[in-house]
Amino acid sequence: MNFLNIKDLKFNIKNKKILENINFHLEKGEILSIIGPSGAGKSSILKLLAGLSQPTYGNITLSNKIISSQNILLPTGDRNIGLMFQEEVLFPHLSVYKNIAFGIEHLKTSNKENLIKKYLTKFGLLNLEKSFPEELSSGEKQRVSLARILITKPKVLLMDEPFSNLDKNLRIEICDYTIKILKEKNISVIFVTHDINEALRVSDRIIILKNGKIQQIDTPENIYSYPKNKYIASLIGDINIFKAQSNNEGLIDTPFGKIKCKKYMTNKTKRVLRCNHFCVIRPSDLFFSKIGVDAEIISKHFLGSSWEYKVFINEGFPIFKLHPSKEKFCINDKIKVNVELKNILIFEE
């Protein structure tokens, strides 16, 4: 069920276009991530959804009710939308118990106490209920923040880089714990992050944003395997990229063989003949092989459990990066590299 809909959304600040023609929906219990570089408009979307900003054009509908448009702006407190940000948002003068209780002060005392105890237990905070934020670890603070939000039973949770201040291992642990709780409670989430791996890990769908415009909306698998342009391919991970021209038969010559101009264009039209293209190969798709293209190792880096190499093929192509690899080579070693042609992504110039 699509119960949150964003239609034809535009947002300007002093005649500067921040967002343009934003259209997407959120299903019940879905986790939808928004990724893109700084200034792409990610936080602006969250502010519009939260009611902290008003659209220049378009509307936002929650449960078939317009909550934002040019003429309508439902107050933030009346939207039943939770907010979780990277900044510290706990009240420093209140205990863990009172921080969690803050959003349900309107409930009767007995109901409130039972509910708070339930959440303290659920989030492993029962022994910390009298502690203050300054006495908590980063992970404990995040659990308190999440409990304080979820106890209010929001329809939608907006998360803006909520784990970016945590170290890597704790970030993964708290992120997995949070997503597990959200899935159990069937809460819909819009998750903004700069961490591509995090987005791929937790999302049902991903929105790729650039300069205030949506580039692609799809599942993590499709975003990775079928990016719509080279910008998306480069955003999702490390890439090797080179230019190539199609011949009269619509074929592109690469060091690894000829490939057809397919998926992103049709080879039945004249416009693809003798046209320039960008070919993208992920470093993880390259591999050393007894049968392949002659190359030379020009640099190597130890990654812990594997190696990363840069290899030179010939002057007509850039230096190719290859990782991860269990093979151990020396600089200047002559080797052969290969790739499955189906894994080469093709984009029009």
Side-chain angles (χ1 to χ4, degrees):
M1 176 182 178
N2 305 340
F3 74 104
L4 178 68
N5 286 281
I6 291 80
K7 185 177 180 182
D8 300 331
L9 205 64
K10 295 182 181 180
F11 180 53
N12 301 340
I13 298 179
K14 295 182 179 179
N15 296 322
K16 181 182 178 181
K17 294 180 179 179
I18 307 299
L19 296 170
E20 190 171 1
N21 297 325
I22 301 296
N23 288 277
F24 66 90
H25 67 270
L26 184 67
E27 299 177 8
K28 185 65 177 173
E30 182 182 27
I31 296 177
L32 177 66
S33 289
I34 304 176
I35 62 176
S38 296
K42 303 184 299 295
S43 293
S44 294
I45 290 178
L46 293 192
K47 288 178 181 178
L48 289 165
L49 291 169
L52 302 175
S53 299
Q54 187 163 13
T56 304
Y57 183 81
N59 61 67
I60 301 171
T61 304
L62 179 62
S63 298
N64 297 317
K65 177 183 179 182
I66 294 178
I67 58 174
S68 285
S69 70
Q70 290 173 266
N71 306 312
I72 298 171
L73 186 64
L74 189 70
T76 300
D78 296 334
R79 295 186 175 219
N80 199 10
I81 292 178
L83 309 172
M84 189 173 179
F85 301 104
Q86 67 183 67
E87 295 86 4
E88 180 58 63
V89 293
L90 298 179
F91 297 113
H93 62 291
L94 297 182
S95 67
V96 168
Y97 183 98
K98 290 185 177 179
N99 260 287
I100 294 175
F102 182 80
I104 56 169
E105 293 294 343
H106 60 285
L107 296 181
K108 292 181 180 180
T109 302
S110 59
N111 293 340
K112 181 168 64 176
E113 289 181 356
N114 290 336
L115 192 57
I116 294 169
K117 288 293 184 182
K118 177 183 175 181
Y119 273 77
L120 285 167
T121 302
K122 178 73 174 176
F123 286 85
L125 299 167
L126 199 55
N127 63 329
L128 298 171
E129 61 177 311
K130 294 181 180 179
S131 300
F132 288 84
E134 64 179 12
E135 303 173 279
L136 305 177
S137 68
S138 297
E140 289 166 346
K141 288 178 183 178
Q142 288 290 56
R143 280 187 278 149
V144 175
S145 296
L146 187 61
R148 190 178 70 176
I149 293 169
L150 297 188
I151 202 171
T152 63
K153 298 181 179 179
K155 289 183 178 180
V156 179
L157 178 58
L158 308 178
M159 306 179 79
D160 191 0
E161 300 277 2
F163 312 119
S164 61
N165 292 330
L166 304 178
D167 64 61
K168 182 179 178 180
N169 290 336
L170 183 59
R171 178 173 183 155
I172 293 173
E173 178 186 338
I174 295 298
C175 179
D176 287 354
Y177 177 82
T178 300
I179 297 304
K180 178 176 178 289
I181 296 294
L182 295 172
K183 284 292 187 182
E184 285 176 357
K185 293 187 173 295
N186 203 33
I187 292 175
S188 301
V189 179
I190 294 182
F191 187 80
V192 164
T193 179
H194 279 92
D195 190 324
I196 306 304
N197 291 327
E198 191 171 67
L200 293 172
R201 182 186 180 91
V202 307
S203 309
D204 295 306
R205 287 187 301 145
I206 294 174
I207 291 177
I208 306 292
L209 205 62
K210 180 185 179 183
N211 297 330
K213 296 181 180 180
I214 291 177
Q215 302 293 302
Q216 187 171 350
I217 306 176
D218 216 325
T219 63
E221 295 88 348
N222 285 341
I223 290 281
Y224 183 86
S225 300
Y226 309 114
K228 288 189 174 180
N229 54 50
K230 65 180 188 294
Y231 164 76
I232 298 171
S234 65
L235 189 68
I236 292 300
D238 229 352
I239 61 171
N240 299 298
I241 186 167
F242 59 93
K243 278 188 177 182
Q245 191 179 69
S246 59
N247 63 19
N248 289 333
E249 297 175 345
L251 297 175
I252 299 172
D253 195 19
T254 80
F256 309 98
K258 295 184 184 297
I259 51 179
K260 288 185 178 180
C261 316
K262 58 182 180 180
K263 182 165 280 299
Y264 300 98
M265 63 208 82
T266 170
N267 59 11
K268 295 179 181 179
T269 59
K270 291 182 180 180
R271 70 187 184 91
V272 303
L273 305 182
R274 297 291 181 184
C275 288
N276 288 325
H277 300 79
F278 286 102
C279 294
V280 169
I281 304 175
R282 291 195 174 91
S284 57
D285 286 330
L286 281 170
F287 56 90
F288 297 111
S289 172
K290 291 181 180 180
I291 301 174
V293 177
D294 290 329
E296 179 182 346
I297 303 289
I298 62 169
S299 74
K300 67 177 193 176
H301 297 91
F302 185 52
L303 304 179
S305 61
S306 62
W307 289 87
E308 174 187 280
Y309 295 98
K310 288 184 179 178
V311 301
F312 171 78
I313 294 178
N314 62 53
E315 295 292 347
F317 294 94
I319 301 300
F320 283 85
K321 187 183 291 185
L322 185 158
H323 67 74
S325 174
K326 297 291 185 181
E327 304 281 350
K328 190 172 182 179
F329 295 104
C330 297
I331 293 176
N332 299 325
D333 276 357
K334 303 296 191 291
I335 43 81
K336 291 183 182 293
V337 293
N338 214 333
V339 65
E340 290 190 37
L341 293 179
K342 67 178 182 179
N343 290 334
I344 299 179
L345 302 173
I346 312 162
F347 304 102
E348 289 184 0
E349 189 172 17

